[in-house]
Amino acid sequence: MSTTENTPPFIPFTRPHFNQETIDAVAEVLRSGWVTSGPKLAEFEASLSEYFGGRPVRCFANGTATMKIALQVAGIGPGDEVITTPISWVATSNVILSVGATPVFVDIDPHTRNIDLSKVAAAISPKTRAIMPVYLAGLPVDMDQLYSLAKQYQLRVIEDAAQAFGSQWKGQKIGSIGDLVSFSFQANKNLSTVEGGCLVLNNVDEAKLAEKFRLQGLTRQGMDGMDVDILGGKDNLTDVNAVIGLHQLKQLPAFQSRRTALARQYFDVIRAEMKSAGLDDLHLELPLENFTDSNWHMFQVVLPLEQLNVDRAQVMTELKDLGIGTGVHYPAITGFTLYQKLGYRTDSTPIAQRIGRSILTLPLFPGMADEDIGRIASALTGILKKHRKS
Ligand SMILES: *Cc1c(COP(=O)(O)O)cnc(C)c1O
């Protein structure tokens, strides 16, 4: 008896989508004789600027470099504190450390899973220079509250909008409003250039400074028509990546509506499965049901571990055995060895601890089939039922 014939195809938690037109455009750049930063980058930056309502935009090699340069443009360095969330990709706080500043972690709101803005004021000290919120899974924080805090305490805001390309706040695109807004175009993000990122800035002076940090601190001045007056790195985005971004931008509305449709199905199907499996008393936490602001970068559930006799790793293994890939985004940063060595405590952000231990990312990407949602929901509820404490 063959098992392979009956095994349904594996569903990864995400998968990038590059169409034939994109592949052809990459080939054209490769044949053109100019492959690094050049005309395609200029075109991509101009398109992004238009997308963000005319604000200056500069691209970088990845989202991490983008955020680091945002901090440098804001003049943040040694002796400064930056308030951020423990539930993010570690890049967020790593870049704060890399410019010599100190991350200060504030606990999250269990419903949005983003930084709890009502707890920020208590974390502000005379050294606080900026707030770096993260829009987990693409759901923005309350922008009115964020910017009124920033104004009240005279803080810069560096938005880690790595996951929020296409997200909105009160009908305005994330990035078209606010202070410094950083996006990532890494392979798993809603819009991908394979690797890459972009920063939305306030004015041309900031954009020029970002360009200097992007290329060795170089300025087109001085005796030899060239001078270096600040320390910069090598963080430019190539034309090969930029041309991919130009084509992804065209597909974004289609990607977005598909993601939203799939997220809606998840809510309906998971609730129906939980009910029919008699699991209504299990506290499986679904995401905030926000269909106006979120770009549905991810669909994440929080497992009711206290009601189960297995841990998250076991749930993930059993889902994998059923052909379903999942991810963990993210364990709380404060628990990592480096951060423990730096003296951070996990018990000061208890909600982040709990959610970091029990959050699970289910598959969500535009190429998924409708049937996949049903398969995933019934696999998940089956596992919950099997391992529920009696
Ligand atoms: C992807 C991501 C980053 C970093 O982007 P890279 O392009 O991988 O360097 C930073 N923060 C968050 C929240 C991310 O999801």
Side-chain angles (χ1 to χ4, degrees):
M1 205 173 84
S2 158
T3 52
T4 48
E5 269 173 42
N6 299 325
T7 308
F10 185 78
I11 311 169
F13 86 83
T14 188
R15 187 162 56 207
H17 177 77
F18 302 114
N19 62 11
Q20 190 57 47
E21 211 179 275
T22 311
I23 295 165
D24 293 344
V26 168
E28 201 179 306
V29 170
L30 292 176
R31 285 193 207 99
S32 75
W34 192 279
V35 293
T36 188
S37 306
K40 292 298 175 191
L41 174 64
E43 200 182 325
F44 187 38
E45 286 179 338
S47 301
L48 289 168
S49 177
E50 194 186 318
Y51 178 83
F52 291 120
R55 297 186 68 190
V57 179
R58 293 297 178 272
C59 290
F60 303 90
N62 51 64
T64 307
T66 306
M67 293 196 295
K68 183 179 177 185
I69 289 174
L71 288 166
Q72 290 174 315
V73 165
I76 289 161
D80 297 335
E81 290 179 357
V82 179
I83 293 176
T84 190
T85 167
I87 296 292
S88 182
W89 176 226
V90 70
T92 310
S93 55
N94 277 356
V95 294
I96 299 171
L97 291 174
S98 76
V99 298
T102 303
V104 173
F105 295 100
V106 166
D107 211 354
I108 61 167
D109 173 325
H111 305 292
T112 64
R113 301 156 186 173
N114 286 327
I115 190 168
D116 186 341
L117 292 174
S118 73
K119 293 181 179 158
V120 166
I124 292 172
S125 86
K127 292 179 179 171
T128 309
R129 292 283 317 282
I131 312 178
M132 200 162 185
V134 174
Y135 308 149
L136 193 73
L139 180 72
V141 298
D142 182 319
M143 295 299 222
D144 297 337
Q145 205 183 345
L146 172 66
Y147 281 95
S148 85
L149 268 168
K151 193 173 173 198
Q152 187 182 348
Y153 294 97
Q154 296 187 305
L155 303 174
R156 292 300 298 261
V157 178
I158 291 108
E159 299 180 29
D160 181 353
Q163 302 182 359
F165 202 98
S167 300
Q168 299 189 51
W169 173 254
K170 293 187 175 168
Q172 292 178 292
K173 293 185 188 94
I174 292 301
S176 69
I177 49 171
D179 190 353
L180 295 167
V181 190
S182 174
F183 295 91
S184 165
F185 302 139
Q186 188 265 341
N188 291 342
K189 302 299 186 332
N190 289 25
L191 183 151
S192 175
T193 60
V194 178
E195 296 283 359
C198 81
L199 182 63
V200 187
L201 305 113
N202 295 294
N203 53 55
V204 176
D205 287 345
E206 280 187 353
K208 289 227 162 89
L209 186 54
E211 285 176 18
K212 271 169 76 170
F213 281 116
R214 182 169 69 179
L215 190 64
Q216 314 291 1
L218 194 71
T219 102
R220 300 279 164 205
Q221 283 157 12
M223 349 178 242
D224 302 312
M226 184 196 289
D227 193 13
V228 173
D229 58 358
I230 55 170
L231 179 62
K234 177 70 164 71
D235 297 312
N236 57 303
L237 188 78
T238 76
D239 268 21
V240 176
N241 301 105
V243 81
I244 298 173
L246 280 165
H247 285 271
Q248 290 263 298
L249 206 48
K250 283 195 221 166
Q251 293 169 270
L252 192 73
F255 287 167
Q256 204 43 62
S257 60
R258 183 68 187 141
R259 281 182 179 277
T260 305
L262 289 165
R264 281 189 196 278
Q265 284 185 45
Y266 258 130
F267 283 104
D268 292 345
V269 178
I270 291 177
R271 284 181 180 135
E273 288 278 344
M274 290 291 281
K275 204 177 176 84
S276 72
L279 297 176
D280 277 342
D281 57 323
L282 281 192
H283 307 303
L284 179 74
E285 295 169 43
L286 300 183
L288 204 71
E289 219 166 336
N290 186 320
F291 291 102
T292 53
D293 299 336
S294 180
N295 68 355
W296 292 101
H297 173 58
M298 297 190 282
F299 192 94
Q300 300 178 290
V301 296
V302 174
L303 298 172
L305 290 184
E306 65 293 341
Q307 295 175 291
L308 304 177
N309 52 31
V310 286
D311 61 9
R312 175 177 57 194
Q314 181 63 26
V315 173
M316 292 175 78
T317 303
E318 292 188 20
L319 281 167
K320 196 172 168 211
D321 290 344
L322 294 170
I324 296 160
T326 53
V328 173
H329 306 93
Y330 298 93
I333 292 169
T334 44
F336 288 137
T337 303
L338 170 68
Y339 287 83
Q340 288 281 295
K341 281 187 184 160
L342 290 170
Y344 289 98
R345 298 170 56 112
T346 51
D347 57 5
S348 53
T349 53
I351 300 169
Q353 284 313 301
R354 179 180 73 80
I355 289 184
R357 251 195 331 268
S358 37
I359 198 162
L360 184 69
T361 305
L362 301 180
L364 180 61
F365 53 92
M368 268 171 77
D370 288 353
E371 312 84 80
D372 292 341
I373 301 285
R375 216 182 109 195
I376 295 160
S378 83
L380 178 65
T381 46
I383 292 166
L384 295 178
K385 187 164 186 167
K386 183 166 115 193
H387 295 296
R388 152 201 217 164
K389 278 183 190 162
S390 46

